[in-house]
Amino acid sequence: MADKPARSQKNFGKLDRDGFIHRSWIKGTGLPEHVFDGRPIIGICNTWSELVTCQFHLRDLAEFVKRGVWEAGGVPIEFPAMSLPETQMRPTAMLFRNLLAMEVEESIRANPIDGVVLLGGCDKTTPGQLMGAASVDLPTMVLSSGPMLNGKFQGRDIGSGTDVWRFSEEVRAGTMSLADFMGAEAGMSRSHGTCNTMGTASTMASLIEALGVSLPTNAALPGVDARRKALAHLTGMRAVELVKQDVRLSQILTREAFENAILMHAAIGGSTNAVVHLLALAGRVGVPLSLEDFDTIARDVPLLVNLMPSGKYLMEDFCYAGGCPAVMNEMGNLFRRDAITVSGHTQGQIADAAQVWNRDVISTREAPFGPSSGVWVLRGNLCPDGAILKPSAATPELLTHRGRAVVFESIEDYHARIDDPDLEVDATSILVLKGCGPKGYPGMPEVGNMALPPKLLQQGVRDMVRISDARMSGTAYGTVILHVAPETAAGGPLALVRNGDEIVFDGPARTLDLLIDDAEMARRRAEWEAVREAPTPTRGWSRLYVDTVLQADRGVDLDFLVGKTTTEVTRESH
Ligand code: FES
């Protein structure tokens, strides 16, 4: 920083009425006179909440960040941002990711802050906080809350989410008792921290490391591990240095950094939700990133990490096996080694210092745990603006499939009919769910991995091709085609599919087509337009959201939030 006064000096450096107001009131928190001498003010943006076990311990971690900030000569000031409990919020936490981003952006810009440490962890908090911070572009670091300990049930490990979906199907199939199902509940979440599978939270924390915006080991250290407290301390120290060196977020979040995130995503078998989050983040910092980048950049990266839902281990095992730095080490030159990070080291230096400690958990590239993974990006007359599928979580035999559509017009229609023994469906059918996109639900919920009809489960069927404009939980699995764009509510062709239509899905060719001719498509579109209804939210955040939200291929950000604004605020408050 040295050459120019700290940003916070606009408030604290003035010996006049305005300076009096800014200093006097904050002195009420116990800060002494000498801390207003221009040393960096580090804002600690905390999404702590008792509604979310994933972030239950963040007040505790914030204290360790503060120790580090003080030690390095800065001044820590903690402030809150809304928490987004994935398992509690209705209709879906995703509806509020952009609201969190707005809150974080404006809180940082409006306040006397020189640098920021973002404390979050549950699925949407990490991207929401980082998107907001990126639109201000101060020196910024992320400290994640860390995963829960491994779940335990009847003598074995069970994983957040993944085993919920599995057990729930077993109960519906009649092969698991309700008593056992309830018994698993208490053993799944044994500590605070984020989901212990490679779900969205763990994926985003891993991508944070790959992007270079946290210190190494941030993703996998369990939330209760004492080393996470030490990491918090070191993060606080480093945040002060970033301010002194004026290393802004935009210098870290380069195209190379996003490429590393996509490479890491493939190697770990990451959540499909990362696609919309990275696209939205890239839009904030102005890095060109397309849906196809997720398919092409990572095509040579095999699945290296054996974690649920693609494999069998959990985040605690991943930590002990070496975590993300070890994955980077194994990826070698595939990784963009010159990319700089907030640690002051390049990704290559971080990778070189790491080692894999358990080859069952992190495999070699020569004998990978799975074939080329990542995300497949599909195109066709059913998804002109794209759709995605996670091949590592799918059934290989279903990756090329032709079947007749069983259509559900809404989530309510699905719930009303899926258990009906008379539902006309067989194992070759393709389940199609409409009305679950960003505008339609609203908020694009995680319902794309719709549960299968009980009568097929009882026949032993455990996977079917499913298509929707929804997302799915990062902990889920199956041959599930997601994020169809444009969505139903925006007039995408998905809206025109009818029961019994034939659909052809060719994964290796990346195509998804509805087998009706153009004339029939046009006729159906005219009929659909004639009965089209206006968006249902009439006021408040939901109304703003449906009016301005972008489609999945553009990250589901609000159209007016794309990009960034200067950190400068010229006018005084009094
Ligand atoms: Fe918060 Fe899974 S519910 S990380």
Side-chain angles (χ1 to χ4, degrees):
M1 174 169 72
D3 297 352
K4 58 179 183 181
R7 178 176 183 269
S8 55
Q9 285 292 293
K10 285 252 170 68
N11 281 37
F12 300 140
K14 297 192 282 193
L15 298 176
D16 58 8
R17 186 201 65 172
D18 293 334
F20 180 108
I21 291 172
H22 292 308
R23 282 186 304 274
S24 177
W25 266 260
I26 206 163
K27 281 179 178 174
T29 67
L31 289 173
E33 177 65 32
H34 71 276
V35 305
F36 301 105
D37 61 358
R39 63 188 74 191
I41 307 286
I42 305 298
I44 301 172
C45 176
N46 198 339
T47 52
W48 168 86
S49 166
E50 286 186 344
L51 281 164
V52 52
T53 190
C54 323
Q55 291 152 201
F56 184 73
H57 56 305
L58 288 185
R59 282 198 299 191
D60 190 24
L61 277 183
E63 295 306 316
F64 289 87
V65 177
K66 290 176 190 173
R67 288 188 190 185
V69 172
W70 283 120
E71 183 184 341
V75 181
I77 297 185
E78 186 180 351
F79 65 96
M82 71 185 293
S83 206
L84 302 179
E86 188 65 30
T87 53
Q88 308 298 344
M89 296 187 91
R90 293 165 178 251
T92 168
M94 182 63 177
L95 178 59
F96 307 104
R97 183 200 66 179
N98 301 336
L99 183 59
L100 169 63
M102 285 179 81
E103 183 190 7
V104 170
E105 175 181 348
E106 302 306 341
S107 294
I108 295 172
R109 182 178 295 112
N111 282 301
I113 289 170
D114 300 307
V116 194
V117 178
L118 305 172
L119 265 54
C122 198
D123 298 15
K124 308 303 178 294
T125 51
T126 302
Q129 285 180 291
L130 197 55
M131 287 161 62
S135 286
V136 191
D137 199 21
L138 289 177
T140 302
M141 294 182 73
V142 175
L143 177 72
S144 302
S145 50
M148 294 177 198
L149 298 175
N150 287 2
K152 298 285 178 184
F153 177 61
Q154 294 183 340
R156 66 183 179 90
D157 285 354
I158 58 172
S160 315
T162 304
D163 278 310
V164 179
W165 316 126
R166 191 167 291 139
F167 292 160
S168 154
E169 296 287 56
E170 295 302 332
V171 171
R172 286 159 58 82
T175 52
M176 183 181 197
S177 72
L178 195 57
D180 277 352
F181 184 65
M182 303 311 286
E185 199 177 283
M188 186 166 284
S189 310
R190 296 190 305 122
S191 72
H192 49 239
T194 49
C195 289
N196 52 29
T197 41
M198 188 51 82
T200 304
S202 298
T203 298
M204 292 310 297
S206 300
L207 302 196
I208 287 295
E209 275 195 60
L211 286 166
V213 291
S214 74
L215 294 182
T217 74
N218 171 65
L221 278 173
V224 296
D225 196 310
R227 289 171 293 178
R228 183 160 292 279
K229 292 177 176 153
L231 190 75
H233 186 123
L234 295 171
T235 299
M237 292 180 70
R238 188 64 202 157
V240 174
E241 287 309 309
L242 289 183
V243 172
K244 289 179 177 173
Q245 295 165 18
D246 199 20
V247 179
R248 290 170 185 259
L249 198 46
S250 57
Q251 290 166 254
I252 307 292
L253 292 178
T254 60
R255 167 80 188 182
E256 268 192 320
F258 281 93
E259 290 176 357
N260 277 340
I262 291 172
L263 292 163
M264 176 66 78
H265 182 262
I268 61 177
S271 162
T272 47
N273 288 321
V275 176
V276 289
H277 298 325
L278 284 180
L279 287 169
L281 181 62
R284 295 300 184 105
V285 286
V287 166
L289 195 71
S290 73
L291 198 51
E292 264 68 20
D293 283 333
F294 288 84
D295 202 327
T296 53
I297 288 172
R299 223 165 247 201
D300 296 332
V301 181
L303 179 61
L304 295 176
V305 174
N306 180 1
L307 251 63
M308 291 186 201
S310 301
K312 71 172 184 178
Y313 291 102
L314 295 168
M315 286 301 286
E316 203 182 329
D317 309 304
F318 185 46
C319 173
Y320 307 146
C324 290
V327 174
M328 293 181 208
N329 178 291
E330 187 56 40
M331 273 201 271
N333 287 332
L334 285 177
F335 221 64
R336 312 317 190 221
R337 290 173 52 86
D338 293 337
I340 62 164
T341 74
V342 292
S343 70
H345 302 294
T346 64
Q347 293 289 25
Q349 290 168 323
I350 292 168
D352 289 344
Q355 198 173 334
V356 177
W357 299 106
N358 185 338
R359 284 297 180 188
D360 284 341
V361 180
I362 304 174
S363 63
T364 61
R365 267 167 68 189
E366 292 69 34
F369 172 60
S372 175
S373 180
V375 165
W376 286 359
V377 177
L378 313 176
R379 299 274 174 177
N381 73 355
L382 195 46
C383 54
D385 290 339
I388 64 169
L389 171 122
K390 179 177 175 177
S392 66
T395 302
E397 298 74 39
L398 288 175
L399 289 173
T400 305
H401 187 73
R402 181 178 182 136
R404 294 209 174 267
V406 175
V407 177
F408 301 98
E409 294 294 331
S410 66
I411 195 69
E412 289 77 20
D413 182 31
Y414 165 78
H415 286 306
R417 295 197 293 125
I418 192 66
D419 292 347
D420 185 347
D422 295 329
L423 183 70
E424 284 191 28
V425 64
D426 63 35
T428 67
S429 302
I430 295 178
L431 303 183
V432 174
L433 176 61
K434 300 181 185 178
C436 296
K439 292 177 186 288
Y441 202 73
M444 202 182 180
E446 295 182 339
V447 297
N449 57 315
M450 49 197 127
L452 305 187
K455 68 179 186 184
L456 296 184
L457 288 167
Q458 282 150 15
Q459 292 166 18
V461 177
R462 288 293 180 272
D463 194 11
M464 296 171 71
V465 175
R466 288 158 272 180
I467 303 173
S468 74
D469 44 13
R471 296 176 302 114
M472 78 171 178
S473 165
T475 63
Y477 54 87
T479 311
V480 185
I481 296 168
L482 302 154
H483 304 197
V484 168
E487 64 170 301
T488 321
L494 191 67
L496 312 179
V497 183
R498 293 182 179 172
N499 266 324
D501 282 348
E502 266 199 301
I503 294 174
V504 177
F505 162 48
D506 186 341
R510 307 293 198 264
T511 58
L512 180 67
D513 287 294
L514 177 64
L515 295 187
I516 61 173
D517 60 32
D518 291 349
E520 173 64 8
M521 190 84 95
R523 192 180 65 76
R524 290 187 189 184
R525 174 164 300 286
E527 285 179 18
W528 182 84
E529 291 287 357
V531 296
R532 185 178 195 166
E533 292 172 6
T536 44
T538 55
R539 62 169 299 281
W541 169 252
S542 297
R543 181 57 198 257
L544 178 65
Y545 184 91
V546 297
D547 283 350
T548 60
V549 71
L550 298 168
Q551 291 294 289
D553 60 310
R554 299 193 54 201
V556 199
D557 204 354
L558 302 190
D559 57 11
F560 64 94
L561 290 176
V562 174
K564 59 177 188 265
T565 318
T566 170
T567 63
E568 290 300 316
V569 182
T570 54
R571 288 185 168 166
E572 263 298 351
S573 57
H574 290 83

